[in-house]
Each structure stands twice: as structure tokens, then as C-alpha cells.
Amino acid sequence: MSDNTLMYGYRDFPLLDFLPCAPVSKVPAPVFNFLKGPPYPAMSDGQPIHTAYAVRKMEASLLRRNKREDIYVAQNDSIESAIKDDTEVIGVSTMDPLGLGPTTMSYYVLFGGDPYAWVRKEWETLIAKINAARKGKKAKLLIGGPGVLEFFQMREELDKEGIDFAFSGEADDIMPDLFEQVAADNIDSKMFYKGYTEYDEKFSRKYKQDEKIISRAQTGKLYPRLEEIPTIVNPSVKGMVEVMRGCGIGCDFCEVTLRPLRYYTPEMIRTEVEVNLKKGGNSHVWLHSDDIWGYKHDNFFRPNEEELVDMFKVVMDTPGISGMNPTHGRISIPSGFPELMEKIQKILKAGPNNWIGVQTGLETGSETLAKKHMPNKTMPLKIGPDGSWEEIVWQGVYNETKYYWRSAFTLQVGQPGETEEDLWETVAMINRLSNSTLTDGRPFEFTITPLQNVPMGRITSKKFDSDLLNEAELGVYYASYRHLAKMASRRRSEGEGNMIVRAGTGAIVSVGGYLMMKVVEDVARKKGVDISKVKRYGLEQRREFSSQSSLAHA
Ligand code: SF4
């Protein structure tokens, strides 16, 4: 099973999936419970019709060696009945169990006080429930997924929560062995390493022994090959389908770039889309990758237009599929390849009532930081010869808005080597984008969310407050939430459900967007931030970019 927070639809309202990152003290339980929506429905035996994609991969991997009747996919409501005397292993996939993720951190530093987010509360509730249900039985508790990294920082939590083992890494090819060995409490050292890998700032590997944390053995194959990754056999939440692993762009803060590139074949993609559609009724698809534009890319990360168009067509030509959106993508491709965006718009049938959402790590508005930490993120464009970083971003948002794509941008605040000047450049970029329009007068469409890099010492000290943020950092927060409030009021009618629920969700989100901006404004004022300076920063020296700039022909 997975984190409870991944088992709700958040009323399909843009950005509401981040709600569990908010502090428990600031979002009352009735509001949280309303906004997360009802749980996904279950079948008569208590197994969910839809569950997290990672759980579906775990299920598919285990089915390669085990019988169907020996595997049970549980959800919150079926935990007690699922764990029996002969249950051997309970596998739980997690994203942000201890609330140390960057979005959760950004709320901690803003609100201060007790760093206890909904993600952590829901995780603790889930683990307590599992532990109560397995008491006196032999079932071992094994956790996995990206959130396992958080236990490297707060190792004592593994013991406190009574977790038997945590697995770190990809395990599609070795899942049955992992489960069998955990069940027998007999980990084969030829196959697994008892401990984990850490990377320093230069990405050099260090190994740290630990009796409870398991990784793949340090020698031999460190990742599954493409043909060893099974396709899902039951539906995932939000119709999620994976299309590739790895990235290769090489941003210096990103671990994904170290993983080998593996591209799903059109047949694998079609199989997963059909499983979601036929067994789960998902007519909308979320195409997951860390950078969709990197799918089978050409030299210097030039987009492979033929392969991209084919991939989008494979999805959209599946009878019964009505729409899709990729999870992540770089801004430089919309920026430099408008003809490709136009072609894809037609395939995806994007329009005023069908915006294509995508998450994009913008990270900074600073030319210096962009060149320092992520010089390849604009490839095949080059910062300098093909325009400034800001110009590349501006052109990208122009083309995205024109072809009905809406980026959910994220920024990193607190990057190593960041200066106040870098942060003010980010404020300027947000303000300029927020006040830009297409030639037909349509405003630029995007959201922007600051994420906090918190030094490790601060995480382990467990003390957070806005003292961690300087004036310019708070300026970035305020400019971001000011734009978010603008977008929330513009988009109040989106989401799913009946008219009343949609209106209610829209109203809460729009008021919430406004209140959030006011909270940030209040924190910033108290810290002496000149609010009117933030509002106008960058607008006076506004640079006029042309929608016909040379980027359009790169
Ligand atoms: S483009 Fe994204 S996924 Fe790729 S290395 Fe950079 S941050 Fe990581």
C-alpha cells in the first residue's frame, strides 16, 4: 500500500495535491478533509480500484513469481482485514513521511512553530494502524519509495515507528527476492547491501552501513534494465503511466540525473494506458517522467519530434482516451520549438477548456545561478547566445499560454551560493511574467511555488521559523504567492464534481490563495520587507521581449 495522502483525488483541482504539505495547526481538519475529497472507491474484497503507481509496480513485480491470491493490495479501510496470521510482508511506498520535502519545508519556515505537517500526521496514523493490525502476527513491515531518504536524516524514527526494513532504490527486477528475504529475515549480501548510498555535493558516492536500511549490492547491476520493468496490471491513481526513467540533463542539485536512461516502448505505454482505461475507467492520462521533452532526445537534448509526436499519438489514439498531461517538462522546449507545441496542441486537443498542466522546475530567476547550477537545462538552447535565462523562460511561457499549456513552476530558495541580488532577480522575473500578455491580450498562465532548501543541521534541530528567511527570500515568497492568488481567483471554477462542490472548492481555493498571500505579506512586513518594493520590483526596468524573437526559430 502507499501513503494515505496519495489515496485521495484532491477534487482534481490544480495544485491541491500539495495540500498535505501544509501544517496541521494552520489547516483545520474539516477543511483538510473536505479538500482532499472522498477516498478512491474499493472493490468488494476491500482492494482499491486505483492506487499509487509505485504500488502498482510493486504488485506487477511480485506477480512475476507469486500467485495472484498471495498478493493483496490494501488501503486505509482494509488494513485490519488484510493483515492475517499468515501475512509475511507488508510493503508500503512513501513520498514524504516525515515532512522533510521542500514544499513542506517552505510552509514550516513561513509559519514557524511546530513543524508537523499533514503528510507526517497521516503517515504516523497509517503506521500506527498497521502496527496495531500486525501485533502478535509474523508480518514484517517494509517501506520503500523516494521518502525513504528522509529516514537517513532522522534515523531514529525507523525504530520509533517499529519499521522492520526500509529499501532504498529501484527494485522492479528484484522485488520477489526482496520480499522473500525480508520475510525470512535473511538478507543475501550478494544481492543486497545493508546500508545506503549518500552523495556529496560533487556526487561522489559514500556508503553507510545500517541494519534496517537495504539497498542493492554495490557491485553489479545497480538499476533494472528496461525489459525488467513490468507494466502495471491494475489501475493507478489519476491514470498515471510511466514513459521513461532517468534524465541526463545534469543539474547539479538533482539525483535523477545519475540514473541510467530507459525509455518505455510505445507498446509498454499503450498497455498501461489500456489497463487504466479498461479496468479503472481512466479516460485521462498522466504521463510520468522527470522531463517529457527528453524522451528519446537527439543530440544536445534537441527534442526528438517524431518520437514525441508518436508517443502523444499512442496515448490519444487509444479509443476512449479523452485527454492527457505530462507530469514534468523543461521550459526550453516550449521556448524554442513553437511549431512542435502547435502540433502537440492539436494532438492533445488543448484549448480554453482543456489546459495541459505540467510541472517545471524553474529554480531561479538569476542568470548567474542558472548558469552555475543547471547550464544544460535550456538545451538545445544556450543561455547567452540564444537569449538570457529570463528571455528563454518568458518565450516559453508565451508559447505555452498560446497553445494552452499551463506550467506549475517551482523555485528553489536557499540554494548554495545564492545572493540577495539573485533573489531580487527572481522577484523581477515573477513580476514581469505575471504582468505579461500575449499579443491578443490573454494574460500569461502559470503558477509558481517557492520550495525551501533547508540546511541539514536545521532539519535535525527541528526548529523552524521565518528567521531562516532573509528579506529578499521573503520577497520571492511574497511575489510568488501574490501571483498564485491572482491565478486562484482566475481559476475558481476548475476541478471536478458537481457544480456545488466545484463552486465550494473554487471558493475555498480562491479565498485560500488570497489568505495565503496575506499571511506571507504579514510575515514579510514583520521582517521589515518593503512590500511596495516587491510589488513593483523589475516592472520599471521592464524588458520588452518579442514573441517573434529568434528563440522561436531555434
Ligand atoms: S532537468 Fe530536471 S530531472 Fe533533469 S537533471 Fe535537471 S532537475 Fe533533474
Side-chain angles (χ1 to χ4, degrees), residues 266-298:
E267 292 69 35
M268 290 169 82
I269 297 170
R270 191 179 296 113
T271 301
E272 295 205 340
V273 168
E274 285 180 348
V275 164
N276 281 331
L277 179 68
K278 290 182 184 154
K279 292 188 173 181
N282 294 96
S283 57
H284 190 93
V285 178
W286 276 27
L287 275 192
H288 179 64
S289 70
D290 287 288
D291 173 35
I292 196 75
W293 306 121
Y295 183 73
K296 299 188 182 175
H297 64 80
D298 281 344

Side-chain angles (χ1 to χ4, degrees), residues 39-307:
Y40 287 110
M43 296 179 290
S44 55
D45 63 357
Q47 298 198 59
I49 298 170
H50 303 90
T51 194
Y53 187 80
V55 175
R56 289 303 184 208
K57 281 296 201 215
M58 203 188 323
E59 175 189 37
S61 302
L62 290 172
L63 278 170
R64 284 178 161 173
R65 194 183 293 171
N66 297 278
K67 292 195 215 109
R68 174 75 261 177
E69 57 270 28
D70 291 336
I71 297 162
Y72 184 92
V73 177
Q75 61 171 2
N76 200 14
D77 289 344
S78 57
I79 289 172
E80 286 88 353
S81 56
I83 302 173
K84 302 192 165 48
D85 287 338
D86 63 349
T87 301
E88 293 187 291
V89 179
I90 304 156
V92 184
S93 173
T94 180
M95 289 264 289
D96 186 13
L98 304 178
L100 302 184
T103 314
T104 317
M105 281 291 162
S106 73
Y107 291 139
Y108 288 165
V109 293
L110 262 182
F111 292 114
D114 185 13
Y116 191 58
W118 276 103
V119 274
R120 184 154 185 189
K121 182 177 167 62
E122 295 269 299
W123 170 257
E124 287 176 355
T125 309
L126 173 72
I127 295 299
K129 204 167 175 180
I130 291 173
N131 282 337
R134 72 184 179 121
K135 198 166 178 199
K137 300 180 180 135
K138 65 177 180 179
K140 298 271 186 3
L141 177 52
L142 166 70
I143 65 167
V148 162
L149 297 178
E150 298 187 355
F151 289 95
F152 299 177
Q153 314 309 328
M154 295 174 76
R155 171 61 182 79
E156 71 283 2
E157 294 300 321
L158 272 184
D159 300 321
K160 270 197 219 158
E161 294 179 7
I163 294 165
D164 296 304
F165 291 106
F167 177 79
S168 169
E170 292 182 30
D172 309 69
D173 51 336
I174 49 172
M175 195 76 75
D177 297 298
L178 176 65
F179 271 61
E180 282 165 20
Q181 294 179 29
V182 163
D185 205 353
N186 184 14
I187 307 296
D188 178 356
S189 61
K190 285 197 212 75
M191 194 171 244
F192 297 105
Y193 168 62
K194 276 205 167 175
Y196 56 94
T197 312
E198 279 185 323
Y199 295 93
D200 62 18
E201 58 287 351
K202 293 202 171 80
F203 283 124
S204 299
R205 276 202 186 102
K206 278 191 300 179
Y207 297 104
K208 204 154 179 186
Q209 282 192 340
D210 194 302
E211 276 306 299
K212 281 197 167 185
I213 303 177
I214 308 171
S215 318
R216 299 177 75 109
Q218 298 156 17
T219 49
K221 189 156 58 80
L222 296 176
Y223 295 90
R225 290 187 285 268
L226 177 72
E227 57 278 16
E228 293 170 324
I229 301 174
T231 52
I232 58 172
V233 295
N234 280 307
S236 61
V237 162
K238 306 219 181 208
M240 189 172 280
V241 160
E242 192 173 44
V243 296
M244 62 182 277
R245 290 193 191 172
C247 167
I249 290 279
C251 303
D252 73 3
F253 47 82
C254 179
E255 178 269 338
V256 173
T257 199
L258 300 174
R259 299 184 205 158
L261 279 162
R262 286 146 296 167
Y263 305 115
Y264 278 33
T265 61
E267 292 69 35
M268 290 169 82
I269 297 170
R270 191 179 296 113
T271 301
E272 295 205 340
V273 168
E274 285 180 348
V275 164
N276 281 331
L277 179 68
K278 290 182 184 154
K279 292 188 173 181
N282 294 96
S283 57
H284 190 93
V285 178
W286 276 27
L287 275 192
H288 179 64
S289 70
D290 287 288
D291 173 35
I292 196 75
W293 306 121
Y295 183 73
K296 299 188 182 175
H297 64 80
D298 281 344
N299 287 342
F300 301 108
F301 292 95
R302 211 180 166 81
N304 188 332
E305 300 200 20
E306 205 177 310
E307 292 285 356

Side-chain angles (χ1 to χ4, degrees), residues 460-527:
T460 39
S461 82
K462 298 175 202 158
K463 281 196 191 121
F464 304 98
D465 52 44
S466 59
D467 285 349
L468 200 67
L469 301 175
N470 63 32
E471 187 202 352
E473 287 175 325
L474 277 166
V476 171
Y477 272 71
Y478 180 57
S480 304
Y481 281 103
R482 197 162 162 254
H483 178 74
L484 203 57
K486 196 169 165 182
M487 285 293 293
S489 66
R490 216 189 275 166
R491 296 284 148 218
R492 58 185 300 163
S493 62
E494 288 189 6
E496 286 206 340
N498 67 47
M499 287 297 283
I500 296 170
V501 169
R502 279 170 53 187
T505 311
I508 289 177
V509 170
S510 137
V511 172
Y514 177 78
L515 288 178
M516 190 64 193
M517 177 187 75
K518 283 294 174 195
V519 167
V520 178
E521 187 175 319
D522 193 44
V523 173
R525 266 189 214 287
K526 283 187 188 139
K527 291 276 293 181

